[in-house]
Amino acid sequence: MNEKIGKPIKRVDAAEKIGGQVKYLADIEFEGMLYARTLRSTRARAKIISIDISELPEGYYIVDRSDVPGRNRVKIIFYDMPFFAEDEVNYIGEPILLVVGPDREEILSILSNIKVVYEDMEPILSMADALANTRAPIFGDNNLYAEYAFSKGNLEEVAKGDIKKFEGEYSTGYQEHIYLETQGVVAECIDDKIRIWGSMQCPYFVKDAVVEALGFDKNKVQVIQTTTGGGFGGKEEYPSLLAGQVAVAALKIKKPVRLILDRAEDIEVSTKRHPSSIKIKSYIGFDKKILGMDVDIKIDGGAYSGLSNIVLQRTMFAAIGVYNVENVKINGVALATNKVVGGGFRGFGAPQAFFALEMHMDYISKELGINALEFRKLNILKKGDISSTGGVIRENTMLPEIIEVIENMSNYKGKVAMPKKKGILKGIGCSLFFHGCGFTGSGEKDIIKAKVKLLKHRDRTVEILVSNVEMGQGAQTTLKKIVAYTLEIPINRVIFKNPDTDKVPDSGPTVASRTITIVGKLLQDAAIDMKEFMGSDIELEILKNYKHPEGFKWDDETFKGDAYNTYAWGANVIEVEVNPITYEVSVTDIYAVFDIGEAIDELIVRGQIEGGMVQGLGYAGMEVMRHKDGRLLQRTNTDYVIPTAMDFPKIQSELVNNPYINGPFGAKGVGETTLIGAAAAYALAVQNAIGHNINKIPVTPEYLMEVMKNKN
């Protein structure tokens, strides 16, 4: 390593603590390091006419699109998002250039004196505007990032019959991740090799993006994950944008460059959960069985495509939920608007779908005059049934057992029918849901192709080499337990450091509830092969490649077949009290039951349940994020309110064991499942309390006043 350029003063692995505290990116100093801040667009949509930059003090630099030696496009799915704005800007907050230098106050002064001359264009600020197509499109010819459709059975024939028909429309808003540690990356250039250090979920996503930005060979880019203070999907694709920017800066200046967003900046410009609008038309037989469903889904992708097409797919695959519906028609579009970009977020489109569907199921049951849970039980999927995409449900769904447990815990039936009294309004709501574990369809088999390594050292310690990261969800503990238990060695003899792409194979991203289900199983298989050598002092490396389970089929063109190899299942019950004067909502009881296969570490699972449920309840009731003329109104921790430990009571939870044959020791995914059903159960509880239908979240006091005013 060159002693004069880029030498890290201190690097800290995930397990190492200094003074009792783990070191995060902001704590690590590099010799000669410079700081970067971003000049961002103040227009939702405009042409850049000119940029006026005064003469810079010595040691300060401007980095913009002219400095990108490779492709000025972030590699995600499509190549529409630039690292630095080119001739136009498409949302407020879009990065135009970096100011880089040694003093942060001076950088802010330089930024404040840069003048950008814009020629404003008429922005597209709603999904309705995007569909109307009356303005110059942002993406393609029609503002569609994706448009998909699939069907099963013969819905047209069902619709002709003498049956009952029910229609509803439901909408959801933005949700911000509010991870504890904001987005941040450092780049250093040493001997024409770029090293990236950052808070991230997907090191190889970042590497691929930087390789294309620089036009480098892959062996000239190294990505190292630093201890990451939360992600929730928000650090899936967004770090690729930041890493490309600082990599270009480090290459130009030949000094380490650090870019860390402050909290307000992070809230305003990083990706969000996609807003959605979902219409459902259901056809119900006289035996109260669902004969058919027609679902139309729209999600707001924002100014660039990001992961919108993948989010849309998962929303569509969740559209009929846990119910056995033989005739299905599902359409979906992801739309381009001049607003903040939609991105990955825990649940990845499923929370939107399950909110809409579960509200719709309650609406139907109310109209039919049947208990909502009984109506659900009449229609739930069971082993051998066919999914909406034509896949086979191969495992016991355990839904009857899940429902029985949560009914006994909550006394749902007794409480839901209780007559309303004057004073504080009480209500209860129940949701059923699933989450497909791993990437959709052929994603694991044909796209990710995960690889893992186990390295046995001469001292008989064993090192896990995977690209999956610890971001607070317990991956390091859980994966180490899988290996230790398989090898029958103490867990302290298993090593798992933060991933470094020069050392670990590409085992895929830390997303989609796949880390334990997919990567954990590969590590278990590798450990089985290693076990016979554990008594020797030889150094040994075992490599395992992902093999798709036999019998599963998928067609990416038609969306036919097995969308997922396995599912986690769950039920949530929420009880609330609503103040009839202020319409403030208090949650009084929370119940949750899940089938996640077998829990590798029950304490970690309980933590995931509590964190996921609280995040889902925040999405349902308090996390308001709106925009005016394309700019978010809630841009700080003060404006954007998230739940705290004081907002909700203790969560009562149970697990129903149902081992998954292709999972490590029977485990399935848990992280996303715990969030998905909370919003629907909350909204249903409030609806039960006030006696009027709710069709959107977040359920704010203002919205409830509007509902009551319109109904009275």
Coordinates of all heavy atoms in Angstrom, one line a residue, residues 529-611:
D529 N -19.8 -31.0 4.0 CA -18.6 -31.5 3.3 C -17.3 -31.3 4.0 O -16.4 -32.1 3.9 CB -18.5 -30.8 1.9 CG -19.6 -31.2 1.0 OD1 -20.4 -32.2 1.3 OD2 -19.8 -30.6 -0.1
M530 N -17.3 -30.3 4.8 CA -16.0 -30.0 5.6 C -15.9 -30.8 6.8 O -14.7 -31.0 7.3 CB -16.0 -28.5 5.9 CG -14.8 -28.0 6.7 SD -14.8 -26.2 7.0 CE -14.3 -25.7 5.3
K531 N -16.9 -31.3 7.3 CA -16.9 -31.9 8.7 C -15.9 -33.0 8.8 O -15.2 -33.1 9.9 CB -18.3 -32.4 9.0 CG -18.5 -32.9 10.5 CD -20.0 -33.2 10.8 CE -20.2 -33.5 12.2 NZ -21.6 -33.8 12.5
E532 N -15.7 -33.9 7.8 CA -14.8 -35.0 8.0 C -13.4 -34.6 8.1 O -12.5 -35.4 8.5 CB -15.0 -36.0 6.8 CG -14.6 -35.4 5.5 CD -14.8 -36.4 4.3 OE1 -14.0 -37.3 4.3 OE2 -15.7 -36.2 3.5
F533 N -13.1 -33.3 7.8 CA -11.7 -32.8 7.8 C -11.4 -32.0 9.1 O -10.3 -31.5 9.2 CB -11.4 -32.0 6.6 CG -11.6 -32.7 5.3 CD1 -12.7 -32.6 4.5 CD2 -10.6 -33.6 4.8 CE1 -12.9 -33.2 3.3 CE2 -10.8 -34.3 3.6 CZ -11.9 -34.1 2.9
M534 N -12.4 -31.9 10.0 CA -12.2 -31.0 11.1 C -11.2 -31.5 12.1 O -10.6 -30.7 12.9 CB -13.5 -30.7 11.8 CG -14.5 -29.8 11.0 SD -13.8 -28.2 10.6 CE -13.6 -27.5 12.2
G535 N -10.9 -32.8 12.1 CA -9.9 -33.3 13.0 C -8.5 -33.1 12.6 O -7.5 -33.4 13.4
S536 N -8.2 -32.6 11.4 CA -6.9 -32.4 10.9 C -6.5 -30.9 10.9 O -7.3 -30.0 11.2 CB -6.8 -32.9 9.4 OG -7.5 -32.0 8.6
D537 N -5.1 -30.7 10.7 CA -4.6 -29.4 10.7 C -4.5 -28.8 9.3 O -3.9 -27.7 9.1 CB -3.2 -29.3 11.4 CG -3.3 -29.7 12.8 OD1 -4.4 -29.5 13.4 OD2 -2.3 -30.2 13.4
I538 N -5.0 -29.4 8.3 CA -4.9 -28.9 6.9 C -5.8 -27.7 6.7 O -6.8 -27.5 7.4 CB -5.3 -30.0 5.9 CG1 -6.7 -30.4 6.0 CG2 -4.4 -31.2 6.0 CD1 -7.2 -31.2 4.9
E539 N -5.3 -26.8 5.8 CA -6.2 -25.7 5.4 C -7.0 -26.1 4.3 O -6.5 -26.8 3.3 CB -5.3 -24.5 5.1 CG -6.1 -23.2 4.8 CD -5.3 -22.0 4.8 OE1 -4.8 -21.5 5.9 OE2 -5.1 -21.5 3.7
L540 N -8.3 -25.8 4.3 CA -9.2 -26.4 3.3 C -10.3 -25.3 3.0 O -10.8 -24.6 3.8 CB -9.9 -27.6 3.9 CG -11.0 -28.3 3.1 CD1 -10.4 -29.0 1.8 CD2 -11.8 -29.3 3.9
E541 N -10.6 -25.3 1.7 CA -11.7 -24.4 1.2 C -12.8 -25.2 0.5 O -12.5 -26.0 -0.3 CB -11.1 -23.3 0.2 CG -12.1 -22.3 -0.3 CD -11.4 -21.3 -1.2 OE1 -10.8 -20.3 -0.7 OE2 -11.5 -21.5 -2.4
I542 N -14.0 -24.9 0.9 CA -15.2 -25.6 0.3 C -16.0 -24.5 -0.4 O -16.4 -23.5 0.2 CB -16.0 -26.3 1.4 CG1 -15.2 -27.4 2.1 CG2 -17.2 -26.9 0.7 CD1 -14.9 -28.6 1.3
L543 N -16.3 -24.7 -1.7 CA -17.1 -23.8 -2.4 C -18.4 -24.5 -2.8 O -18.4 -25.7 -3.2 CB -16.4 -23.4 -3.7 CG -17.2 -22.6 -4.7 CD1 -17.5 -21.2 -4.2 CD2 -16.5 -22.5 -6.1
K544 N -19.5 -23.8 -2.6 CA -20.8 -24.3 -2.9 C -21.6 -23.4 -3.8 O -21.6 -22.2 -3.6 CB -21.7 -24.6 -1.6 CG -21.3 -25.9 -0.9 CD -21.7 -27.1 -1.7 CE -21.3 -28.4 -0.9 NZ -21.7 -29.6 -1.7
N545 N -22.2 -23.9 -4.9 CA -23.0 -23.1 -5.8 C -24.5 -23.4 -5.6 O -24.8 -24.6 -5.3 CB -22.6 -23.4 -7.2 CG -21.2 -23.0 -7.6 OD1 -20.9 -21.8 -7.8 ND2 -20.2 -23.9 -7.6
Y546 N -25.3 -22.4 -5.8 CA -26.7 -22.6 -5.7 C -27.3 -23.6 -6.7 O -26.9 -23.5 -7.9 CB -27.5 -21.3 -5.8 CG -29.0 -21.4 -5.7 CD1 -29.6 -21.6 -4.5 CD2 -29.7 -21.4 -6.9 CE1 -31.0 -21.8 -4.5 CE2 -31.1 -21.5 -6.8 CZ -31.8 -21.7 -5.6 OH -33.1 -21.9 -5.6
K547 N -28.1 -24.5 -6.3 CA -28.8 -25.4 -7.1 C -30.3 -25.3 -6.9 O -30.7 -25.4 -5.7 CB -28.4 -26.9 -6.9 CG -26.9 -27.2 -7.4 CD -26.6 -28.6 -7.2 CE -25.1 -28.9 -7.7 NZ -24.8 -30.3 -7.5
H548 N -31.1 -25.0 -7.9 CA -32.5 -24.8 -7.8 C -33.2 -26.2 -7.4 O -32.8 -27.2 -8.0 CB -33.1 -24.3 -9.1 CG -34.3 -23.5 -8.9 ND1 -34.3 -22.3 -8.1 CD2 -35.6 -23.6 -9.4 CE1 -35.5 -21.8 -8.2 NE2 -36.3 -22.6 -8.9
P549 N -34.1 -26.2 -6.4 CA -34.7 -27.4 -6.1 C -35.5 -28.0 -7.3 O -36.0 -27.2 -8.1 CB -35.7 -27.0 -5.0 CG -35.2 -25.7 -4.4 CD -34.5 -25.1 -5.6
E550 N -35.5 -29.3 -7.4 CA -36.2 -29.9 -8.5 C -37.7 -29.8 -8.5 O -38.3 -29.7 -7.4 CB -35.8 -31.4 -8.5 CG -34.3 -31.7 -8.8 CD -34.0 -33.2 -8.9 OE1 -35.0 -34.0 -8.8 OE2 -32.8 -33.5 -9.1
G551 N -38.3 -29.7 -9.7 CA -39.7 -29.7 -9.8 C -40.3 -28.3 -9.9 O -41.5 -28.2 -10.2
F552 N -39.5 -27.3 -9.6 CA -40.1 -25.9 -9.7 C -39.8 -25.3 -11.1 O -38.7 -25.4 -11.6 CB -39.4 -25.0 -8.6 CG -39.7 -25.4 -7.2 CD1 -39.0 -26.4 -6.5 CD2 -40.8 -24.8 -6.6 CE1 -39.4 -26.7 -5.2 CE2 -41.1 -25.1 -5.3 CZ -40.4 -26.1 -4.6
K553 N -40.8 -24.7 -11.6 CA -40.7 -24.2 -13.0 C -41.2 -22.7 -13.0 O -42.1 -22.3 -12.2 CB -41.5 -25.0 -14.0 CG -41.0 -26.4 -14.1 CD -41.8 -27.2 -15.2 CE -41.3 -28.6 -15.3 NZ -42.1 -29.4 -16.3
W554 N -40.6 -21.9 -13.9 CA -41.0 -20.5 -14.0 C -40.8 -20.0 -15.4 O -39.7 -20.3 -16.0 CB -40.3 -19.7 -13.0 CG -40.6 -18.2 -13.0 CD1 -39.9 -17.2 -13.5 CD2 -41.9 -17.6 -12.6 NE1 -40.5 -16.0 -13.4 CE2 -41.7 -16.2 -12.9 CE3 -43.0 -18.1 -12.0 CZ2 -42.8 -15.3 -12.6 CZ3 -44.0 -17.2 -11.7 CH2 -43.9 -15.8 -12.0
D555 N -41.7 -19.2 -15.9 CA -41.5 -18.5 -17.2 C -41.5 -17.0 -17.0 O -42.5 -16.4 -16.6 CB -42.7 -18.9 -18.1 CG -42.5 -18.4 -19.6 OD1 -42.0 -17.3 -19.7 OD2 -42.8 -19.2 -20.5
D556 N -40.4 -16.4 -17.2 CA -40.2 -15.0 -17.0 C -41.1 -14.1 -17.9 O -41.4 -13.0 -17.6 CB -38.8 -14.6 -17.1 CG -37.9 -14.9 -15.9 OD1 -38.4 -14.7 -14.8 OD2 -36.8 -15.5 -16.1
E557 N -41.4 -14.7 -19.1 CA -42.2 -13.9 -20.1 C -43.7 -13.9 -19.7 O -44.3 -12.8 -19.8 CB -42.0 -14.5 -21.5 CG -40.6 -14.4 -22.0 CD -40.1 -13.0 -22.1 OE1 -40.9 -12.1 -22.6 OE2 -38.9 -12.8 -21.8
T558 N -44.2 -15.0 -19.3 CA -45.7 -15.1 -19.0 C -46.0 -15.0 -17.5 O -47.2 -14.9 -17.2 CB -46.2 -16.4 -19.6 OG1 -45.6 -17.5 -18.9 CG2 -45.9 -16.5 -21.1
F559 N -45.0 -15.0 -16.6 CA -45.3 -15.1 -15.2 C -46.1 -16.3 -14.8 O -47.0 -16.2 -14.0 CB -46.0 -13.8 -14.7 CG -45.1 -12.6 -14.7 CD1 -45.7 -11.3 -14.6 CD2 -43.7 -12.7 -14.9 CE1 -44.9 -10.2 -14.6 CE2 -42.9 -11.5 -14.9 CZ -43.5 -10.3 -14.8
K560 N -45.7 -17.4 -15.4 CA -46.4 -18.7 -15.1 C -45.5 -19.6 -14.4 O -44.3 -19.7 -14.7 CB -46.9 -19.4 -16.4 CG -47.9 -18.6 -17.3 CD -49.2 -18.5 -16.6 CE -50.3 -17.9 -17.5 NZ -51.6 -17.7 -16.8
G561 N -46.0 -20.2 -13.4 CA -45.3 -21.2 -12.6 C -45.1 -20.8 -11.2 O -45.9 -20.1 -10.6
D562 N -44.0 -21.3 -10.6 CA -43.7 -21.2 -9.2 C -43.0 -19.8 -8.9 O -41.8 -19.7 -9.2 CB -42.9 -22.3 -8.6 CG -43.6 -23.7 -8.8 OD1 -44.6 -23.9 -8.0 OD2 -43.2 -24.5 -9.6
A563 N -43.7 -18.8 -8.5 CA -43.1 -17.5 -8.2 C -42.1 -17.7 -7.1 O -41.0 -16.9 -7.1 CB -44.1 -16.5 -7.9
Y564 N -42.3 -18.6 -6.1 CA -41.4 -18.8 -5.0 C -41.3 -20.2 -4.7 O -42.3 -21.0 -4.9 CB -41.8 -18.0 -3.8 CG -42.0 -16.5 -4.1 CD1 -43.3 -16.0 -4.3 CD2 -41.0 -15.7 -4.2 CE1 -43.5 -14.7 -4.6 CE2 -41.1 -14.3 -4.5 CZ -42.4 -13.8 -4.7 OH -42.6 -12.5 -5.1
N565 N -40.2 -20.7 -4.2 CA -40.0 -22.1 -3.8 C -40.7 -22.4 -2.4 O -41.1 -23.5 -2.2 CB -38.5 -22.4 -3.6 CG -37.8 -22.3 -4.9 OD1 -38.4 -22.2 -6.0 ND2 -36.4 -22.3 -4.8
T566 N -40.8 -21.4 -1.6 CA -41.4 -21.5 -0.3 C -42.0 -20.2 0.2 O -41.6 -19.1 -0.3 CB -40.4 -22.1 0.7 OG1 -41.2 -22.5 1.9 CG2 -39.3 -21.1 1.1
Y567 N -42.9 -20.3 1.1 CA -43.5 -19.1 1.7 C -43.4 -19.1 3.2 O -43.6 -20.2 3.8 CB -45.0 -19.0 1.3 CG -45.2 -18.9 -0.2 CD1 -45.3 -20.1 -1.0 CD2 -45.5 -17.7 -0.9 CE1 -45.5 -20.0 -2.3 CE2 -45.7 -17.7 -2.2 CZ -45.7 -18.8 -3.0 OH -46.0 -18.8 -4.3
A568 N -43.3 -17.9 3.8 CA -43.5 -17.8 5.2 C -45.0 -17.2 5.4 O -45.4 -16.5 4.5 CB -42.5 -16.8 5.8
W569 N -45.7 -17.6 6.4 CA -47.1 -17.3 6.6 C -47.3 -16.6 7.9 O -46.5 -16.8 8.9 CB -47.9 -18.5 6.5 CG -47.7 -19.4 5.3 CD1 -46.7 -20.3 5.2 CD2 -48.4 -19.4 4.1 NE1 -46.8 -20.9 3.9 CE2 -47.9 -20.3 3.2 CE3 -49.5 -18.6 3.6 CZ2 -48.3 -20.6 2.0 CZ3 -50.0 -18.9 2.3 CH2 -49.4 -19.8 1.5
G570 N -48.3 -15.8 8.0 CA -48.5 -15.1 9.3 C -49.9 -14.6 9.4 O -50.7 -14.5 8.5
A571 N -50.2 -14.2 10.7 CA -51.5 -13.5 11.0 C -51.2 -12.5 12.1 O -50.4 -12.7 13.0 CB -52.5 -14.5 11.6
N572 N -51.8 -11.3 12.0 CA -51.7 -10.2 12.9 C -53.1 -9.9 13.4 O -54.0 -9.8 12.6 CB -51.0 -9.0 12.3 CG -49.6 -9.2 12.0 OD1 -49.0 -8.4 11.3 ND2 -48.9 -10.2 12.5
V573 N -53.2 -9.6 14.7 CA -54.4 -9.0 15.3 C -54.0 -7.7 16.0 O -53.0 -7.8 16.8 CB -55.1 -9.9 16.2 CG1 -56.2 -9.2 17.0 CG2 -55.8 -11.1 15.4
I574 N -54.7 -6.6 15.8 CA -54.4 -5.4 16.4 C -55.7 -4.9 17.1 O -56.7 -4.9 16.5 CB -53.9 -4.3 15.4 CG1 -52.7 -4.8 14.6 CG2 -53.6 -3.0 16.1 CD1 -51.5 -5.0 15.4
E575 N -55.5 -4.4 18.3 CA -56.6 -3.7 19.0 C -56.3 -2.3 19.2 O -55.2 -1.9 19.6 CB -56.9 -4.4 20.3 CG -57.5 -5.8 20.2 CD -57.9 -6.4 21.5 OE1 -58.8 -5.8 22.2 OE2 -57.3 -7.4 22.0
V576 N -57.3 -1.4 19.0 CA -57.1 0.1 19.1 C -58.2 0.7 19.9 O -59.3 0.1 20.1 CB -57.0 0.7 17.7 CG1 -55.9 0.1 16.9 CG2 -58.4 0.6 17.0
E577 N -57.9 1.9 20.4 CA -58.9 2.8 20.9 C -58.9 4.1 20.1 O -57.8 4.6 19.9 CB -58.7 3.1 22.4 CG -58.9 1.9 23.3 CD -58.7 2.2 24.8 OE1 -58.2 3.2 25.1 OE2 -59.1 1.3 25.6
V578 N -60.0 4.6 19.7 CA -60.1 5.9 18.9 C -60.8 6.9 19.7 O -62.0 6.7 20.2 CB -60.8 5.6 17.6 CG1 -60.8 6.9 16.8 CG2 -60.1 4.5 16.8
N579 N -60.2 8.1 19.9 CA -60.8 9.2 20.6 C -61.9 9.8 19.7 O -61.5 10.3 18.6 CB -59.8 10.2 21.0 CG -60.4 11.3 21.9 OD1 -61.4 11.9 21.5 ND2 -59.7 11.6 23.0
P580 N -63.2 9.8 20.0 CA -64.2 10.3 19.1 C -64.2 11.8 18.9 O -64.9 12.3 18.0 CB -65.5 9.8 19.7 CG -65.2 9.8 21.2 CD -63.7 9.3 21.3
I581 N -63.4 12.5 19.7 CA -63.3 14.0 19.5 C -62.1 14.4 18.7 O -62.2 15.1 17.7 CB -63.3 14.6 20.9 CG1 -64.6 14.3 21.7 CG2 -63.1 16.2 20.7 CD1 -64.6 14.8 23.1
T582 N -61.0 13.8 19.1 CA -59.7 14.2 18.3 C -59.3 13.2 17.2 O -58.5 13.5 16.4 CB -58.5 14.2 19.3 OG1 -58.3 12.9 19.9 CG2 -58.8 15.2 20.5
Y583 N -60.0 12.0 17.3 CA -59.7 10.9 16.3 C -58.2 10.4 16.4 O -57.7 9.9 15.5 CB -60.1 11.3 14.9 CG -61.6 11.4 14.8 CD1 -62.2 12.6 14.8 CD2 -62.3 10.2 14.7 CE1 -63.6 12.6 14.7 CE2 -63.7 10.2 14.6 CZ -64.3 11.5 14.6 OH -65.7 11.5 14.6
E584 N -57.6 10.7 17.6 CA -56.3 10.0 17.8 C -56.5 8.6 18.1 O -57.5 8.2 18.8 CB -55.6 10.7 19.0 CG -55.2 12.2 18.7 CD -54.7 12.8 19.9 OE1 -55.4 13.1 20.9 OE2 -53.4 13.1 20.0
V585 N -55.6 7.8 17.6 CA -55.7 6.3 17.7 C -54.6 5.8 18.7 O -53.4 6.2 18.5 CB -55.5 5.6 16.4 CG1 -55.6 4.1 16.5 CG2 -56.6 6.1 15.4
S586 N -55.0 5.0 19.6 CA -54.0 4.3 20.5 C -54.1 2.8 20.3 O -55.2 2.2 20.3 CB -54.3 4.6 22.0 OG -54.2 6.0 22.2
V587 N -53.0 2.2 20.1 CA -52.9 0.7 20.0 C -52.8 0.1 21.4 O -52.0 0.5 22.2 CB -51.7 0.3 19.2 CG1 -51.6 -1.3 19.2 CG2 -51.8 0.8 17.8
T588 N -53.8 -0.8 21.7 CA -53.8 -1.3 23.1 C -53.3 -2.7 23.2 O -52.8 -3.1 24.2 CB -55.3 -1.3 23.6 OG1 -56.1 -2.1 22.7 CG2 -55.8 0.1 23.7
D589 N -53.4 -3.5 22.1 CA -52.9 -4.9 22.1 C -52.4 -5.2 20.7 O -53.0 -4.8 19.7 CB -54.0 -5.8 22.5 CG -54.3 -5.7 24.0 OD1 -53.6 -6.2 24.8 OD2 -55.4 -5.1 24.3
I590 N -51.3 -6.0 20.7 CA -50.8 -6.5 19.4 C -50.5 -8.0 19.5 O -49.8 -8.5 20.5 CB -49.4 -5.8 19.1 CG1 -49.6 -4.3 19.0 CG2 -48.8 -6.3 17.8 CD1 -48.3 -3.5 19.0
Y591 N -51.0 -8.8 18.6 CA -50.8 -10.2 18.6 C -50.2 -10.6 17.2 O -50.7 -10.1 16.2 CB -52.1 -11.0 18.8 CG -52.9 -10.5 20.0 CD1 -53.8 -9.5 19.9 CD2 -52.6 -11.1 21.3 CE1 -54.5 -9.1 21.1 CE2 -53.3 -10.7 22.4 CZ -54.3 -9.7 22.3 OH -55.0 -9.3 23.4
A592 N -49.3 -11.5 17.2 CA -48.7 -12.0 15.9 C -48.3 -13.4 16.0 O -47.8 -13.9 17.0 CB -47.4 -11.1 15.7
V593 N -48.7 -14.2 14.9 CA -48.3 -15.6 14.8 C -47.7 -15.8 13.5 O -48.2 -15.3 12.5 CB -49.5 -16.5 15.0 CG1 -49.1 -18.0 14.9 CG2 -50.2 -16.2 16.4
F594 N -46.6 -16.5 13.4 CA -45.9 -16.7 12.1 C -45.4 -18.2 12.0 O -45.1 -18.9 12.9 CB -44.6 -15.9 12.1 CG -44.9 -14.4 12.2 CD1 -44.7 -13.7 13.4 CD2 -45.3 -13.7 11.1 CE1 -44.9 -12.4 13.5 CE2 -45.5 -12.3 11.2 CZ -45.4 -11.6 12.4
D595 N -45.4 -18.6 10.7 CA -44.8 -19.8 10.3 C -43.5 -19.4 9.5 O -43.7 -19.0 8.4 CB -45.7 -20.7 9.5 CG -44.9 -21.7 8.6 OD1 -43.8 -22.1 9.0 OD2 -45.5 -22.2 7.6
I596 N -42.4 -19.5 10.1 CA -41.1 -19.2 9.4 C -40.2 -20.4 9.4 O -39.0 -20.4 9.3 CB -40.4 -18.1 10.2 CG1 -40.1 -18.4 11.6 CG2 -41.2 -16.8 10.1 CD1 -39.0 -17.7 12.3
G597 N -40.9 -21.6 9.3 CA -40.1 -22.8 9.4 C -39.7 -23.1 10.8 O -40.5 -23.1 11.7
E598 N -38.4 -23.3 11.0 CA -37.8 -23.4 12.3 C -36.9 -22.2 12.6 O -36.2 -21.7 11.7 CB -36.9 -24.6 12.4 CG -37.7 -25.9 12.3 CD -38.3 -26.3 13.7 OE1 -38.0 -25.6 14.7 OE2 -39.0 -27.3 13.7
A599 N -37.0 -21.6 13.8 CA -36.2 -20.5 14.1 C -34.8 -20.9 14.5 O -34.6 -21.8 15.3 CB -36.8 -19.8 15.3
I600 N -33.8 -20.4 13.8 CA -32.4 -20.7 14.1 C -32.0 -20.1 15.4 O -31.3 -20.7 16.2 CB -31.4 -20.2 13.0 CG1 -31.8 -20.9 11.6 CG2 -30.0 -20.5 13.3 CD1 -31.6 -22.4 11.6
D601 N -32.4 -18.9 15.7 CA -32.2 -18.1 16.9 C -33.4 -17.4 17.3 O -33.8 -16.4 16.7 CB -31.0 -17.2 16.7 CG -30.5 -16.5 18.0 OD1 -31.4 -15.9 18.7 OD2 -29.4 -16.7 18.4
E602 N -34.1 -18.0 18.3 CA -35.5 -17.4 18.6 C -35.4 -16.0 19.1 O -36.3 -15.2 18.9 CB -36.2 -18.3 19.6 CG -37.6 -18.0 19.8 CD -38.4 -19.1 20.4 OE1 -38.1 -20.3 20.2 OE2 -39.4 -18.8 21.2
L603 N -34.3 -15.6 19.8 CA -34.2 -14.3 20.3 C -34.1 -13.3 19.2 O -34.8 -12.2 19.2 CB -33.0 -14.2 21.3 CG -32.9 -12.8 22.0 CD1 -34.1 -12.5 22.9 CD2 -31.6 -12.8 22.8
I604 N -33.4 -13.6 18.2 CA -33.3 -12.8 17.0 C -34.6 -12.7 16.3 O -35.0 -11.6 15.8 CB -32.2 -13.3 16.0 CG1 -30.8 -13.0 16.6 CG2 -32.3 -12.6 14.7 CD1 -29.6 -13.6 15.8
V605 N -35.3 -13.8 16.2 CA -36.6 -13.8 15.5 C -37.6 -12.9 16.3 O -38.3 -12.2 15.7 CB -37.2 -15.3 15.4 CG1 -38.6 -15.3 15.0 CG2 -36.3 -16.1 14.4
R606 N -37.6 -13.0 17.6 CA -38.4 -12.1 18.4 C -38.1 -10.7 18.1 O -39.0 -9.8 18.0 CB -38.3 -12.4 19.9 CG -38.7 -13.8 20.3 CD -40.2 -14.1 20.2 NE -40.5 -15.5 20.5 CZ -41.7 -16.0 20.4 NH1 -42.7 -15.3 19.9 NH2 -41.9 -17.3 20.7
G607 N -36.8 -10.4 18.0 CA -36.4 -9.0 17.7 C -36.9 -8.6 16.3 O -37.4 -7.4 16.2
Q608 N -36.9 -9.5 15.4 CA -37.4 -9.2 14.0 C -38.9 -8.9 14.1 O -39.4 -8.0 13.4 CB -37.1 -10.3 13.1 CG -35.6 -10.4 12.7 CD -35.2 -9.2 11.8 OE1 -35.6 -9.1 10.6 NE2 -34.4 -8.3 12.3
I609 N -39.6 -9.7 14.9 CA -41.1 -9.6 15.0 C -41.4 -8.2 15.6 O -42.2 -7.5 15.0 CB -41.7 -10.7 15.9 CG1 -41.6 -12.0 15.1 CG2 -43.1 -10.4 16.3 CD1 -41.9 -13.2 16.0
E610 N -40.7 -7.8 16.6 CA -41.0 -6.5 17.3 C -40.6 -5.4 16.4 O -41.4 -4.4 16.2 CB -40.2 -6.5 18.6 CG -40.8 -7.4 19.6 CD -40.0 -7.4 21.0 OE1 -39.1 -6.5 21.1 OE2 -40.3 -8.3 21.8
G611 N -39.5 -5.4 15.7 CA -39.1 -4.4 14.8 C -39.9 -4.3 13.6 O -40.4 -3.2 13.2

